[in-house]
Amino acid sequence: MTSRIDRLLGARLADPPEGLRRGPFREGAFPSPLHSERRAARVGLWLGLAFLVCFLTGVISDLIQSGPSWFYWPSSPVWLYGFTQGLHVATGLAAIPLLLVKLWTVYPLLFEWPPAGSLARLVGRLSILVLVGTAAMQLVTGLINIAQWYPFGFFFPTAHYWTGWIAIGAIAVHIGAKAPEIRRGLARRGSPAATAGLVPEQVEELRAAEAAAEEGAIDRRTFVLASGLGVAAVTVTTLGQSVTPLAPVSVLAPRLPHAGPQDLPVNKTAEAAQVQESATDPGYRLVVDGPRRLELSLADLMARPQHTETLPITCVEGWSASGRWTGVRLADLLEEAGLSRDARVVVESLQTGGLFRSSVVAPPHAADPRTLLALQLEGAPLDLDHGYPVRLIAPNRPGVMQTKWLALVRPA
């Protein structure tokens, strides 16, 4: 049945109408040697690696924020999440020019005739639509997210996560379907592997294309140089949000270190969280729920032993900045309330709504002496936008889990 469908499909599409032989459908419409199997395979290799890095680091971030209880994420080193998430965002941004270059190298294939000479080829071409669509969605929505602009109606983290799985699956299918072409494209020019699977006529066409490419060597080098400079420019002008020494040249970075109250960026303000009144209420109390329930005023917290730690705030949008925090150790309060110092606990904010009004503090972070209920930043009381009167600050956690305006600590 399949072979019959293939024959019928091929017979109907083999001879296009005369009008379709003009324009981009005519033979030789794309003479540039840069539209080659070799160039497409080599650009595709880098693009595929970029997507793999983005996928793995994205899965790590999702597991930290909403993964199962068995997932273990250490509290040391304190910079690890900053590295993985900074790499995620930087690689995603670098993948944008790579995707454009890849599409440029292969877009003449859109005008091949017949468009689908067999059922297998038709399915293959439809799968490319999935690949290109998911790749474009991941990069475009990721770029919009780091700018904190949400014109779409869906919840970005969930959509980004599941589309990532579809994209990486589509890449795997594409690699499997195009394995012979990819092997030839990555093989050393002139080697037997570079012509494997080709009939003599195709070998001659390939050699002619390589000869044309040699004649256009300057264009080829310019293409590679321009592509590399494009990727480098995007990376350098945005990476300063994660790598502080690059901040002066990172003119396109959405957030930079030391840009905000008390020299630290802010994503969600007290006004946006609607906590101005509750956070400044003289009757404020922090409740630690345990066998010995604690209800602590700000003065009670200040009267307890204070500790100072230098820890980063690392946001899922890719920026990272360190601050000097002072406050009470979470483990000390847990013990005072009759809980284990390494108990799994939930911290809740004064916010009355929002997906990130609470977070789970896993045992490695609860027991870590660097995990503080911070009262001060850089030697001064917390700014209201940084979580006054009390916020959580723990090593090696996403910024959305460093809960601000704390109201309650309870067993998970």
Side-chain angles (χ1 to χ4, degrees):
M1 176 63 71
T2 301
S3 60
R4 183 182 178 187
I5 293 174
D6 287 348
R7 287 196 301 272
L8 289 173
L9 187 60
R12 290 186 178 184
L13 297 177
D15 296 317
E18 183 64 28
L20 288 183
R21 293 187 180 277
R22 301 172 184 173
F25 291 95
R26 74 184 189 279
E27 187 175 352
F30 302 97
S32 172
L34 301 178
H35 298 300
S36 67
E37 189 176 83
R38 183 177 183 82
R39 194 68 56 217
R42 291 176 181 269
V43 174
L45 174 63
W46 288 105
L47 183 61
L49 290 174
F51 265 85
L52 179 61
V53 170
C54 281
F55 175 73
L56 293 176
T57 51
V59 168
I60 288 173
S61 184
D62 183 80
L63 286 172
I64 296 170
Q65 295 178 61
S66 56
S69 58
W70 54 259
F71 176 73
Y72 178 85
W73 183 251
S75 60
S76 292
V78 299
W79 49 262
L80 182 57
Y81 181 73
F83 173 78
T84 61
Q85 193 62 15
L87 182 63
H88 177 81
V89 173
T91 307
L93 289 170
I96 294 175
L98 277 174
L99 178 61
L100 294 175
V101 171
K102 171 68 173 179
L103 292 176
W104 187 88
T105 61
V106 299
Y107 85 89
L109 297 178
L110 295 174
F111 304 99
E112 279 189 334
W113 196 273
S118 68
L119 182 61
R121 181 164 173 74
L122 177 62
V123 172
R125 299 201 77 170
L126 290 175
S127 70
I128 291 175
L129 286 177
V130 177
L131 173 59
V132 175
T134 54
M137 178 177 174
Q138 288 297 86
L139 297 181
V140 171
T141 57
L143 181 63
I144 290 173
N145 176 66
I146 65 174
Q148 295 187 321
W149 175 51
Y150 302 102
F152 34 74
F154 52 81
F155 182 49
F156 169 77
T158 301
H160 197 66
Y161 176 78
W162 289 112
T163 305
W165 279 99
I166 297 172
I168 207 70
I171 290 172
V173 170
H174 181 68
I175 291 173
K178 294 290 185 180
E181 293 93 330
I182 293 171
R183 280 196 296 267
R184 287 197 300 266
L186 297 179
R188 183 171 55 86
R189 185 181 282 114
S191 66
T195 56
L198 298 179
V199 298
E201 293 81 1
Q202 291 174 315
V203 173
E204 289 302 320
E205 290 178 4
L206 178 62
R207 288 173 179 169
E210 290 176 351
E214 289 300 327
E215 293 177 4
I218 295 178
D219 290 337
R220 189 176 69 254
R221 294 192 190 101
T222 302
F223 174 80
V224 173
L225 179 61
S227 301
L229 288 176
V231 172
V234 168
T235 302
V236 171
T237 56
T238 57
L239 195 57
Q241 65 177 359
S242 303
V243 182
T244 304
L246 291 177
V249 296
S250 292
V251 294
L252 299 181
R255 296 286 189 281
L256 287 174
H258 314 303
Q262 295 179 289
D263 291 330
L264 205 65
V266 170
N267 268 9
K268 191 164 193 175
T269 64
E271 181 180 5
Q274 299 181 336
V275 296
Q276 300 102 313
E277 292 186 11
S278 57
T280 56
D281 186 343
Y284 166 83
R285 295 293 185 272
L286 171 67
V287 175
V288 183
D289 194 11
R292 296 187 294 272
R293 180 183 173 91
L294 305 177
E295 294 188 13
L296 305 172
S297 67
L298 184 56
D300 293 332
L301 290 166
M302 292 291 292
R304 281 164 168 72
Q306 303 292 297
H307 304 273
T308 299
E309 300 289 345
T310 299
L311 294 172
I313 291 284
T314 300
C315 192
V316 293
E317 284 89 7
W319 63 263
S320 183
S322 288
R324 187 165 52 89
W325 308 88
T326 301
V328 182
R329 285 174 175 161
L330 174 61
D332 291 346
L333 287 183
L334 294 180
E335 186 175 58
E336 187 177 344
L339 298 169
S340 170
R341 296 178 70 89
D342 62 352
R344 184 180 180 87
V345 296
V346 174
V347 293
E348 296 185 7
S349 173
L350 291 169
Q351 287 180 253
T352 57
L355 293 170
F356 301 110
R357 65 171 299 272
S358 67
S359 68
V360 175
V361 184
H365 298 88
D368 196 302
R370 294 167 296 185
T371 298
L372 303 177
L373 301 188
L375 309 172
Q376 295 184 334
L377 173 58
E378 302 299 338
L382 287 174
D383 186 272
L384 189 58
D385 286 341
H386 281 308
Y388 177 89
V390 187
R391 76 168 296 162
L392 175 73
I393 183 71
N396 199 31
R397 278 164 62 94
V400 294
M401 299 177 71
Q402 308 283 34
T403 309
K404 299 192 284 189
W405 312 294
L406 285 186
L408 174 66
V409 179
R410 60 174 175 82

